[in-house]
Amino acid sequence: MVGLVLVSHIAKLAEGALELGLLMAPEVPAEAAGGTADGGPGTDYEKIAGAVERVSAKADGGVLVIADMGSSRMTAEMVLEDREGCQPEAVIADCPFVEGCVAAAVSAAAGEGLADVRRAAETALGRDCE
Amino acid sequence: MTDSAKLIEVLGNVKDAIDANAEYLTDLDAAIGDSDHGINLARGFRKVAEDLPAMAGKDIGAILKKTGMDLVSTVGGSSGPLYGTAFMKAGASAAGKSEINTEDFLNMFSAAIGGVKMRGKSEEGEKTMLDAMGPALRAAEEAAAAGKSAKEMLEAAAEAAAEGAAFTKTIIATKGRAAYLGERSLGHVDPGAASFAVIMKTVAESY
Ligand SMILES: [Mg+2]
């Protein structure tokens, strides 16, 4: 199954988005990696790298990383570049933070592959009210 | 132009300058960002300075790479991955060298800017640190081509960086948190451009 890592400047935002996403898909391996090392607003490389490694150990289908903006996204990209070549693969999605998380969780729980889970996240916006 | 010992001295000076300007940089960020640029960078360069003694005798590439990694792991804001990538790319360009000349410096500077553009998916004119970095590199290249000394080259770069930072006051942010402000970002200096101007000035004054 594909796993998820949620990266935000705000720890509670990452945890909250993940809580919402996992309501429909509690079996998906996932972790939130929000805030700095001391829990303040910002991004922590080690926190993200640790979350990706732990989730990837439980997610044989790979890991989808969802980041909110700015340093979250850039730092997540650096983490993924630094583990390039490691299996399973981890990729970042270009998606709305909350809706992307929900769509990715549902797609992952359905057993879809990493590319499909990423696509689900990236086309998530407005899906529930079309 | 520079050996490992000199680089360690310069990085120590940069740490002091960022510390001294932390409040100024944070105030700039309070106007069009999230009020943390100076605090974040000061934390990052304190970690860099802490690790400098252990860098004695290492080559220039290794020292800059470690500097970049320290910034990535401690800054916590966008300037972490941006400056971190800049220092790591400069380091990769100087890999294995225990001394650099002006030509090496220009190549390292150019690689650093390429790293910032890649990491930030940005170009000059978007009200970012690139608006100070780009003019500084071009001024340094011109000075070097005109046969100026290393100190004169660095001074020209520092002056161009300060002008570039001032220029960001006149343009609208289209990258970074300030882009959410649109036209309301006009009239404010970009904190990243300002911090780069501080760094460049400190480097020039170290020679
Ligand atoms: Mg900021």
Side-chain angles (χ1 to χ4, degrees), chain B residues 66-106:
Chain B
K66 176 70 176 155
T67 298
M69 287 168 60
D70 279 349
L71 293 176
V72 169
S73 60
T74 55
V75 167
S78 298
S79 48
L82 291 169
Y83 277 125
T85 300
F87 278 98
M88 284 191 262
K89 292 287 182 190
S93 169
K97 292 189 171 156
S98 52
E99 190 163 0
I100 54 162
N101 58 27
T102 54
E103 192 189 333
D104 296 325
F105 169 77
L106 292 172

Side-chain angles (χ1 to χ4, degrees), chain A residues 17-70:
Chain A
L18 196 55
E19 186 182 352
L20 180 57
L22 296 184
L23 284 179
M24 288 175 75
E27 66 272 42
V28 173
E31 270 196 39
T36 56
D38 59 9
T43 313
D44 184 52
Y45 180 98
E46 292 304 329
K47 203 179 251 196
I48 302 169
V52 169
E53 282 332 297
R54 284 187 298 275
V55 171
S56 70
K58 292 179 267 177
D60 54 359
V63 181
L64 187 72
V65 178
I66 296 176
D68 63 353
M69 56 199 280

